[in-house]
Amino acid sequence: MNSNPEIPDLCRQGDAWLDGQLPESAAAQFEAHLFQCPYCRSRIESAQEFELEIEAACRLFANSISDTVANSELQESQKLPRPVRSFYNRQAFWAATATIAAGILVILWLAWPPTPAPSGNPVQVTQSNPESQNTTELAKPTVQIAFTGSALAEPAITTERFTFVRVFAVTTVTPKSTASDVSDFQ
Amino acid sequence: MSERLEEHWPDLLRFARSLAGNVDSAHEIAQESMVRALARNPQLPEIANTRGWLFQIAANVCREWWHRQARESASLAQLVALRDNRQQMGNPLPPEIAEQRERLTDIWEFIQTLPDIQRQVLVKQLVDGSSHQQIADQLGISKDNVKANLCVARQKLRQRFLKIETPAIQQDRSTV
């Protein structure tokens, strides 16, 4: 109706007035116009009767809203069939995710700057036990291995971890590697 | 109790007219609906939406009335068929009733073609009598969205089913 050029502007506001979309002042203006315009009156009356017809159709043919919603959901499910995801697929998905995550962790661990490897040659220091001097038993000498230039570091642990990580990485990330490859890292 | 029902009588009569398509049948349907509603008087305080409940009774009465009309029409048609020595053919409903029923069916079929959200807000408001806020909560959308969808749905229905006439009287006035 609104696209018809023969209809005056005020008469075009009938639909908006029916739907309660007009502001208060515009609604009052249209209601005043309604008393004078038989076209708008008949139009509004027929629209109100039609509103009842819509309600009648809905009440007659829609048993309940839940049926309508269920029908629409059914139609949607028919349009887009949900992908069947089996238990095996889910397991495979999680296994792949875990493998990738483990790989990332290993790479990060390898990329982390390790403790500097001990430098210098090990020196064996032999020290006599002073308490054993008062006893008749032979004193057992205490043996310490120290590295020159890095006496406070923990060389043994660091080297072991580094070696273990390398071996783990080679055996897990590149499963086709041979024992000789592993020995190269050691 | 009955006063609560009586205040809906004018609306019920108009609704019955939209169901039946003529005033005489509308009176019959509205009266039958009111009788049934009054017979269920003890249930009335529990019903929040009395108007919707009454209208639903009227819709059920109308369905039965259609069947009754069809039976009576069919028996009449059978008599005519016997007289004319021919088989009964076609729709047994009287033409006027059949026309209104067809119109309501067309409206419902058009509602079915609306987008899901528009159809749901329309049916929820008309059948369940839900407010805009209730519909918004149920569908998980905003209240403004509900209003907009209702407007669009109604406009589509009006454009499809309401006849467009130019305001000839007003044009005549303006030319004088």
Side-chain angles (χ1 to χ4, degrees):
Chain A
M1 146 179 126
N2 291 346
S3 59
N4 194 332
E6 294 179 358
I7 299 174
D9 287 341
L10 209 53
C11 296
R12 293 169 197 260
Q13 297 179 351
D15 281 352
W17 182 80
L18 276 169
D19 294 331
Q21 296 293 307
L22 284 181
E24 202 169 335
S25 58
Q29 194 182 1
F30 180 78
E31 284 159 18
H33 164 77
L34 208 55
F35 282 104
Q36 299 168 355
C37 180
Y39 165 73
C40 283
R41 270 206 307 278
S42 67
R43 167 79 186 164
I44 294 295
E45 280 169 11
S46 59
Q48 285 172 338
E49 281 176 15
F50 179 61
E51 184 73 15
L52 279 174
E53 283 184 325
I54 298 171
E55 184 172 353
C58 289
R59 288 193 181 279
L60 280 168
F61 300 113
N63 290 328
S64 67
I65 185 61
S66 56
D67 287 352
T68 310
V69 174
N71 284 339
S72 66
E73 285 172 356
L74 186 67
Q75 284 170 3
E76 285 299 318
S77 64
Q78 284 170 350
K79 276 183 212 165
L80 299 168
R82 293 179 68 184
V84 179
R85 186 179 283 183
S86 67
F87 178 73
Y88 174 77
N89 286 343
R90 282 200 297 271
Q91 263 195 334
F93 169 76
W94 285 113
T97 308
T99 308
I100 291 166
I104 290 168
L105 278 176
V106 167
I107 289 165
L108 283 174
W109 200 357
L110 288 173
W112 192 261
T115 308
S119 59
N121 299 319
V123 178
Q124 186 172 344
V125 180
T126 308
Q127 186 182 358
S128 61
N129 195 348
E131 291 176 0
S132 62
Q133 289 177 355
N134 300 329
T135 59
T136 54
E137 293 177 3
L138 289 173
K140 292 180 180 174
T142 306
V143 178
Q144 290 182 341
I145 297 173
F147 291 88
T148 56
S150 60
L152 296 175
E154 296 176 359
I157 296 171
T158 305
T159 309
E160 279 176 11
R161 189 193 76 170
F162 196 67
T163 309
F164 170 75
V165 169
R166 287 291 179 102
V167 170
F168 177 76
V170 167
T171 53
T172 54
V173 177
T174 57
K176 288 183 180 176
S177 61
T178 58
S180 61
D181 297 332
V182 178
S183 64
D184 290 341
F185 284 97
Q186 289 173 341
Chain B
M1 303 285 180
S2 59
E3 287 172 2
R4 273 180 69 189
L5 290 176
E6 281 172 14
E7 69 186 23
H8 295 297
W9 174 255
D11 287 343
L12 179 66
L13 204 55
R14 287 173 59 222
F15 182 69
R17 189 174 179 279
S18 70
L19 283 167
N22 64 76
V23 179
D24 295 337
S25 307
H27 269 100
E28 194 180 332
I29 291 170
Q31 282 174 358
E32 177 66 23
S33 308
M34 193 59 89
V35 167
R36 288 191 191 184
L38 287 168
R40 296 174 193 173
N41 225 356
Q43 296 174 11
L44 203 54
E46 299 169 10
I47 298 161
N49 183 7
T50 315
R51 178 186 174 278
W53 176 67
L54 201 56
F55 279 23
Q56 193 57 53
I57 291 174
N60 294 338
V61 168
C62 181
R63 267 195 222 103
E64 293 173 15
W65 182 76
W66 277 345
H67 288 306
R68 200 164 56 238
Q69 290 289 322
R71 275 201 305 272
E72 288 172 7
S73 178
S75 58
L76 183 64
Q78 280 168 352
L79 287 173
V80 173
L82 282 173
R83 189 196 66 187
D84 296 346
N85 196 18
R86 60 181 171 82
Q87 295 293 319
Q88 180 208 339
M89 298 290 285
N91 189 355
L93 272 175
E96 194 183 25
I97 301 167
E99 191 181 337
Q100 184 63 11
R101 184 180 175 173
E102 195 177 346
R103 179 174 165 81
L104 295 179
T105 309
D106 288 346
I107 291 171
W108 177 245
E109 282 174 359
F110 186 79
I111 290 170
Q112 294 293 90
T113 64
L114 292 174
D116 279 349
I117 189 73
Q118 290 173 13
R119 187 175 69 246
Q120 284 180 28
V121 294
L122 188 73
V123 176
K124 269 179 184 289
Q125 195 201 33
L126 291 178
V127 179
D128 294 355
S130 305
S131 66
H132 291 166
Q133 189 59 54
Q134 285 171 331
I135 298 169
D137 293 341
Q138 286 170 15
L139 296 180
I141 56 176
S142 69
K143 195 175 165 182
D144 289 340
N145 202 344
V146 172
K147 284 182 186 176
N149 278 302
L150 273 173
C151 281
V152 172
R154 285 200 168 96
Q155 279 170 9
K156 284 180 182 173
L157 280 159
R158 281 182 210 133
Q159 281 172 3
R160 168 70 179 76
F161 289 99
L162 278 185
K163 288 177 184 174
I164 302 166
E165 292 169 2
T166 51
I169 297 169
Q170 197 175 33
Q171 276 185 334
D172 291 342
R173 270 187 199 167
S174 60
T175 51
V176 170

